[in-house]
Amino acid sequence: MASVTQHGAGTRGFRISKRVLPYVLSLPALLVCIGILIPFFSAVLYSFQRYRLSQPWARQFNWGENYLNFFTDPGFWNTLRVSLLYAGTTVILELLLGLGIALLLQRRSTVNNFISIMLLLPLMTAPALAALMWKLMTNPGFGILSYFTSLIGLENFRWASSPDTALLTVVLVDIWVYTPFIMILLLAGLRSLPTQPFEAAALDGVPRTFVFFRITLPMLTPYILTATLFRLLDSIQQFDIIYAMTQGGPGDTLTVFQVEAYLNFFQSTNVGRSAALLIILWAITYTLSNVFIKNWLRLRERARGEA
């Protein structure tokens, strides 16, 4: 209970008892949690309804019909395949590039610090703006990247306008924007590793490949898992880059979950199907995050046991 106390002449202040203070401090987190749960449970409720904005009078519960229809819908399985393919491709390539750049910049120096800061510039660009910039650069008529591809004999390279190269194009944009995120996480991990094992290996003349695979990589694994988890959860929910570049096309080439849900809601006004897609996406991300977190905890316990 808050009590008013007198401080000096005419000065008043409030002192919160120690029993109430933890609840007051946790109130912002509670409000954020409520703000997240209300839309979530609203989406769950809508996903069990036959609900179109164009036909509000026909709204009724269908008790899972939206989910059951997905099993016989080829479009849903294409959406699942494209989402997983996009997420897996971007995360693997960004992880390899980010790790390679982090290893090159591992040594602390003024030049390396400057380069690492400059490499963060794409991460400061809004993904939708980056996608529009790349869309201009890959324009077949005046894009500078189209000009460079013509110099090496690839005339009329269609980039995002062709089903064969659309995925490649959006993956390149994703790599350009988000590789610095993985790079900076792994660089921080590399610079925080203990120096004693590396000094001992240098004194014994151990080959660099052995040091990397047997010392550096095992100690860096928790950082790699953390970076992979963040990027995987973000990639599988990607919307702005794909929609700004291709609107999910050509055809259904890039209809990932977020784009498919957006089109169902705003074009088909099918609220129930759109909500069901997002709940399935949530279930996938929840499962993946649990797998990564369990592995991260297992590695941490093993490291503590070896310490």
Side-chain angles (χ1 to χ4, degrees), residues 195-261:
T195 59
Q196 292 85 354
F198 301 99
E199 293 172 354
L203 290 174
D204 294 338
V206 179
R208 290 186 177 182
T209 54
F210 184 90
V211 172
F212 174 73
F213 286 106
R214 295 300 181 91
I215 300 177
T216 306
L217 204 56
M219 289 194 294
L220 195 63
T221 300
Y223 298 93
I224 294 175
L225 285 176
T226 302
T228 303
L229 174 61
F230 279 114
R231 282 302 304 134
L232 185 61
L233 297 183
D234 195 29
S235 295
I236 204 170
Q237 301 177 75
Q238 183 57 252
F239 172 78
D240 35 14
I241 291 177
I242 294 175
Y243 192 79
M245 287 287 293
T246 69
Q247 290 79 47
D252 58 355
T253 306
L254 290 171
T255 51
V256 294
F257 273 103
Q258 292 278 28
V259 173
E260 181 70 10

Side-chain angles (χ1 to χ4, degrees), residues 145-166:
L145 293 181
S146 296
Y147 171 72
F148 287 146
T149 54
S150 66
L151 293 180
I152 60 175
L154 295 175
E155 298 289 345
N156 298 322
F157 194 74
R158 298 178 61 190
W159 295 98
S161 59
S162 171
D164 298 327
T165 56

Side-chain angles (χ1 to χ4, degrees), residues 23 27 35 37 45 60 105 140 152 161 165 179 193 200 221 228 246 254 263 295:
Y23 298 100
L27 185 60
L37 291 178
L45 182 65
Q60 60 179 343
L105 301 177
I152 60 175
S161 59
T165 56
T179 296
L193 296 180
T221 300
T228 303
T246 69
L254 290 171
L263 296 176
N295 279 280

Side-chain angles (χ1 to χ4, degrees), residues 45-200:
L45 182 65
Y46 290 146
S47 70
F48 285 100
Q49 297 179 15
R50 186 182 294 111
Y51 181 22
R52 289 181 178 269
L53 292 177
S54 57
Q55 300 173 345
W57 59 86
R59 179 179 177 180
Q60 60 179 343
F61 280 96
N62 57 16
W63 303 110
E65 182 180 323
N66 292 325
Y67 295 98
L68 293 176
N69 290 338
F70 289 140
F71 290 103
T72 57
D73 183 6
F76 168 76
W77 295 110
N78 178 72
T79 298
L80 179 62
R81 180 187 64 82
V82 173
S83 299
L84 294 177
L85 178 62
Y86 177 85
T89 304
T90 54
V91 170
I92 291 173
L93 293 178
E94 288 167 12
L95 190 62
L96 293 175
L97 284 173
L99 179 59
I101 297 171
L103 288 170
L104 291 175
L105 301 177
Q106 181 179 3
R107 187 182 300 275
R108 295 178 183 272
S109 67
T110 304
V111 175
N112 285 352
N113 291 337
F114 176 76
I115 293 174
S116 63
I117 293 173
M118 296 302 295
L119 289 175
L120 290 176
L121 291 179
L123 193 60
M124 301 177 187
T125 306
L129 293 179
L132 293 176
M133 180 179 66
W134 276 75
K135 192 172 184 178
L136 292 174
M137 292 194 300
T138 56
N139 186 283
F142 54 81
I144 187 171
L145 293 181
S146 296
Y147 171 72
F148 287 146
T149 54
S150 66
L151 293 180
I152 60 175
L154 295 175
E155 298 289 345
N156 298 322
F157 194 74
R158 298 178 61 190
W159 295 98
S161 59
S162 171
D164 298 327
T165 56
L167 179 63
L168 170 65
T169 305
V170 294
V171 165
L172 288 176
V173 180
D174 198 294
I175 289 173
W176 184 80
V177 174
Y178 290 111
T179 296
F181 173 77
I182 291 184
M183 179 271 296
I184 201 66
L185 283 181
L186 298 186
L187 182 60
L190 284 170
R191 290 183 175 180
S192 66
L193 296 180
T195 59
Q196 292 85 354
F198 301 99
E199 293 172 354

Side-chain angles (χ1 to χ4, degrees), residues 233 281-291:
L233 297 183
L281 177 60
W282 169 82
I284 294 173
T285 56
Y286 178 80
T287 303
L288 291 174
S289 61
N290 270 283
V291 170

